[in-house]
Amino acid sequence: MPLRSHHVVAVVAASQFLASFAPAQSLPSPSRTVFKCDEGGRVVYSDVPCMGATKVDVEPTRGVSKLSGKERIGNDVRREVFQEQMADALKPISGMNAKQYDTFGRRLKLSSEAQRECRQLDSQLPALEQSERQATGGDRAAVQQRLFGLRSRFRDLGC
């Protein structure tokens, strides 16, 4: 099976190269993870983790479509749709859905150490989030502190 993983890397790299021909936009793609934070009694939503944050998964809108009888979408949405179509086309080869394909392509640019750490964080974060939901009192504060550290590291690495 090592041959298959090399093949997947080559196919993903080629599709990333093809996607680079799409018009570039100066803004990075939006984060789909939003954190709901309580700052001094005020609720604040941010893409940056904070202490005691609640993770909110969001799906950004794809713009206004067919409001005037014509479909109007921006270059960023076109690029995202293209990436999803590539992921669907490559699924029989790669075995990855669109979200996994996007994550794989993004992490391809990271060093091998960072990729390894991202994989570790992928398994640690859900378990710690579950622990936070079940924790009470002082235990909860300790779990939240650890969770904040892991979420910050995840973001800093570019996972």
Side-chain angles (χ1 to χ4, degrees), residues 11-22:
V11 169
V12 170
S15 66
Q16 293 287 332
F17 175 73
L18 290 173
S20 69
F21 287 116

Side-chain angles (χ1 to χ4, degrees), residues 12-43:
V12 170
S15 66
Q16 293 287 332
F17 175 73
L18 290 173
S20 69
F21 287 116
Q25 186 179 12
S26 60
L27 296 174
S29 61
S31 171
R32 293 190 182 200
T33 301
V34 176
F35 298 97
K36 180 179 175 183
C37 306
D38 181 14
E39 291 183 359
R42 235 180 69 208
V43 174

Side-chain angles (χ1 to χ4, degrees), residues 10 47 59 68-69 73 84 88 133:
D47 63 338
E59 182 70 32
S68 63
I73 58 173
E84 289 171 357
D88 287 342
R133 285 189 288 274

Side-chain angles (χ1 to χ4, degrees), residues 6-143:
H6 289 331
H7 184 68
V8 169
V9 170
V11 169
V12 170
S15 66
Q16 293 287 332
F17 175 73
L18 290 173
S20 69
F21 287 116
Q25 186 179 12
S26 60
L27 296 174
S29 61
S31 171
R32 293 190 182 200
T33 301
V34 176
F35 298 97
K36 180 179 175 183
C37 306
D38 181 14
E39 291 183 359
R42 235 180 69 208
V43 174
V44 178
Y45 294 91
S46 174
D47 63 338
V48 180
C50 59
M51 277 297 296
T54 303
K55 186 173 134 183
V56 181
D57 286 324
V58 295
E59 182 70 32
T61 62
R62 297 226 171 166
V64 178
S65 293
K66 301 182 181 177
L67 187 62
S68 63
K70 294 188 242 177
E71 187 171 15
R72 302 170 122 180
I73 58 173
N75 289 336
D76 56 337
V77 174
R78 265 190 212 95
R79 212 171 18 261
E80 189 174 311
V81 168
F82 176 76
Q83 287 293 89
E84 289 171 357
Q85 291 170 341
M86 288 294 291
D88 287 342
L90 295 172
K91 188 170 184 170
I93 298 169
S94 69
M96 293 184 275
N97 64 29
K99 185 175 180 180
Q100 293 167 328
Y101 178 80
D102 180 54
T103 300
F104 183 81
R106 190 177 58 251
R107 289 181 181 176
L108 201 58
K109 301 170 191 163
L110 301 176
S111 69
S112 59
E113 295 83 22
Q115 289 178 21
R116 186 172 34 260
E117 192 171 347
C118 286
R119 284 191 302 273
Q120 288 173 343
L121 290 169
D122 284 340
S123 63
Q124 292 173 347
L125 283 167
L128 204 52
E129 288 167 352
Q130 179 66 28
S131 295
E132 179 191 29
R133 285 189 288 274
Q134 296 172 346
T136 58
D139 291 339
R140 185 177 176 94
V143 170

